[in-house]
Amino acid sequence: MRQPSLTSTASFQALENHALEAEDWEMRKLFAADPQRFERFSCEAAGLFLDYSKNRLDGRTLELLAALARERGVERQRDAMFAGERINNTENRAVLHTALRAPRGSTLVLDGQDVDAEVHAVLDRIRSFTDAVRGGEWLGHTGKPITDVVNIGIGGSDLGPKMVVLALRHYAHPRLALHFVSNVDGHDMDATLSQVDPETTLFIVASKTFTTAETMMNAQTARRWFLERVPAESADAALAKHFVAVSTNVEAIKSFGIDPANMFPFWDWVGGRYSVWSAIGLPVALAVGFGYFSDFLAGAHEMDQHFRNAPIEENMPMILALVGFWNREFLDAHSVTIAPYHQDLNRFPAYLQQLDMESNGKSVTRDGDPVDTPTCPAIWGEPGTNGQHAYFQLLHQGTDLTPIDFIAALRPAHEMEQHHSALLANCFAQSEAFMKGKTIDEVRTDLQAQGLPPEEVERLAPHKTFPGNRPSNTILMERLTPPTLGALIALYEHKTFVQGVLWNLNSFDQWGVELGKVLAKKIEAELAGEPQPDLHDSSTNGLIARARAAF
Ligand SMILES: O=P(O)(O)OC[C@H]1O[C@](O)(CO)[C@@H](O)[C@@H]1O
């Protein structure tokens, strides 16, 4: 059924009216007026705690947002996703990444396929393979145990496993070093190959389609590099010990020369950016072992259960989505900063960029109509406290309002307690500063107390004033563990889903990446071929000409 446009819905219009009333709200005053604000605007689920009290909203705002979610059918669409309906309507696919982390025994049949049985059969294979590699029973072609694993993939076939392996480094196997090559830029492959030994390196070629240009070129290069170092007569046997594939495309992996016995499959109902739970997570299972990989899946499943069952008003992913929606639509927030106050989450912002922006960076609804409000904000960030010494200036005093998600673990994985309290102090201080700001009168009082002459006080005061009233969420966990990380990722997946439903987008296709791919193929041929007539605009022709002259 065609959805009405967002702005024509009664609940969106009610929110518009409410936003007019809320225009002058100051969070300082909201906190002063309600000593229970923190308790009222925070929730817990799956080992995570979300404080969303430092947003410009009140109970009525949430009621109206929840009403909008209901009017847009968020619960119905959530249930349709879990049930395996083909909600990816432009690719006619189900969206079942949640089935990848469901415990054995769940019943879901999709087109005659027993999803649970297939998922767990692959998980069993992942377990035996990773046990063998980690245990030193899987040997390289000269009889040595594997010491290095190189994952070759890009986008969802890189960002997820790379982020998780870094985040869980405390759980990692001491013998295995994990490397990730994604960029078609040869410097990426070169930097990795220069560190590894062909006798002890396992290559994982990870690509859902097994057609992605960057991955195919990188995989061919790795294969050539490897074969140049192996006696020709044992090439096939050696390849079988050193190359495995993760894909949905068995024919393509065969023609690449990988034995299907070395292929870990997944399915078209797993989107690339939602695939870390599938065999795309093989590097994670190799690094931390199958037990912790299962815990990671279990943490995500716990968040799934919460998302499925909790009422909207207590549902963490729904709340995160609704608050983000409020900030985007009514506070004109063009971007969101992700600030993990945990160095091991340093690739988390990059991971969320694909998750959120590839899912909801769209301007046409699922029905093909132009959207009538702004959609996905830009997502960016760096670990705190590094960001504080770089771009937080703009967040505090710039002209745009940029909401921030602070993410922290209460306990560290190290024993340097002093560092950890300094880290948390910074995290909490920043959210306080964004909320409170510092008024010009407060600045004047400070400067006067420092004994500055009145004209100097007046000259400096505007520069030292902080507008404040800038929204943030804080997500806390006890420790960064496999289950809490699983829950954290699932939280953001579902947040993205809910926002997609509010905007009536198909969050599971990514047509926007195609045009550049097609043009790059043409230009690659032009760069390699004979001089050709100018085929493009003058800028593109000029750039190609300069590159050709340099070759
Ligand atoms: O796993 P594949 O098929 O190589 O795709 C890699 C990535 O490329 C994209 O299709 C975008 O080009 C992503 O959605 C995907 O995660």
Side-chain angles (χ1 to χ4, degrees), residues 516-544:
K517 288 184 191 174
V518 173
L519 296 185
K521 273 215 164 68
K522 281 194 192 149
I523 294 179
E524 202 180 326
E526 289 161 28
L527 285 175
E530 292 301 307
Q532 297 200 358
D534 291 347
L535 298 171
H536 308 267
D537 57 89
S538 65
S539 161
T540 312
N541 286 332
L543 297 170
I544 292 172

Side-chain angles (χ1 to χ4, degrees), residues 153-157 206-212 215-216 266 271-273 275 280 354 358 510 513-514 517:
I154 198 165
S157 300
S207 174
K208 177 175 171 180
T209 54
F210 229 77
T211 57
T212 303
T215 301
M216 292 304 104
F266 63 114
R273 52 196 174 275
S275 64
I280 289 291
Q354 188 198 16
E358 206 176 63
Q510 56 284 318
V513 300
E514 294 305 323
K517 288 184 191 174

Side-chain angles (χ1 to χ4, degrees), residues 273-482:
R273 52 196 174 275
Y274 301 88
S275 64
V276 68
W277 324 99
S278 72
I280 289 291
L282 191 64
V284 178
L286 281 164
V288 304
F290 189 79
Y292 285 132
F293 184 63
S294 303
D295 294 347
F296 169 67
L297 302 185
H301 177 68
E302 200 180 333
M303 183 56 79
D304 292 342
Q305 292 300 92
H306 166 78
F307 179 54
R308 283 182 96 163
N309 299 315
I312 294 179
E313 294 76 2
E314 293 159 31
N315 191 309
M316 193 183 282
M318 300 255 194
I319 291 169
L320 199 59
L322 293 173
V323 170
F325 178 86
W326 169 253
N327 290 338
R328 177 70 179 120
E329 300 300 326
F330 302 107
L331 271 63
D332 199 26
H334 292 249
S335 77
V336 170
T337 303
I338 306 296
Y341 276 66
H342 199 308
Q343 187 61 28
D344 294 344
L345 284 175
N346 71 69
R347 294 294 296 165
F348 194 59
Y351 175 80
L352 289 190
Q353 285 181 325
Q354 188 198 16
L355 173 61
D356 216 334
M357 296 201 273
E358 206 176 63
S359 297
N360 289 341
K362 292 165 187 169
S363 44
V364 168
T365 68
R366 342 175 18 95
D367 306 315
D369 301 322
V371 294
D372 55 348
T373 71
T375 61
C376 188
I379 308 289
W380 56 285
E382 279 288 320
T385 58
N386 298 2
Q388 289 174 209
H389 295 274
Y391 49 77
F392 270 42
Q393 163 65 41
L394 175 146
L395 301 183
H396 282 292
Q397 290 187 318
T399 48
D400 276 4
L401 175 139
T402 308
I404 302 161
D405 283 358
F406 293 98
I407 303 170
L410 294 174
R411 290 165 191 264
H414 56 71
E415 287 174 1
M416 295 169 278
E417 283 297 334
Q418 220 188 343
H419 284 254
H420 202 64
S421 15
L423 178 77
L424 290 182
N426 272 282
C427 177
F428 303 158
Q430 287 297 332
S431 82
E432 184 179 26
F434 283 117
M435 185 276 282
K436 267 192 167 165
K438 192 166 181 181
T439 64
I440 196 152
D441 286 340
E442 288 168 340
V443 174
R444 285 190 183 116
T445 309
D446 273 6
L447 294 176
Q448 282 155 3
Q450 289 165 27
L452 264 68
E455 62 283 7
E456 197 58 0
V457 169
E458 285 313 307
R459 190 176 74 81
L460 289 177
H463 298 280
K464 296 190 166 226
T465 298
F466 290 70
N469 216 17
R470 303 199 162 195
S472 70
N473 297 306
T474 301
I475 298 169
L476 297 178
M477 62 198 94
E478 184 74 10
R479 287 177 198 277
L480 182 61
T481 61

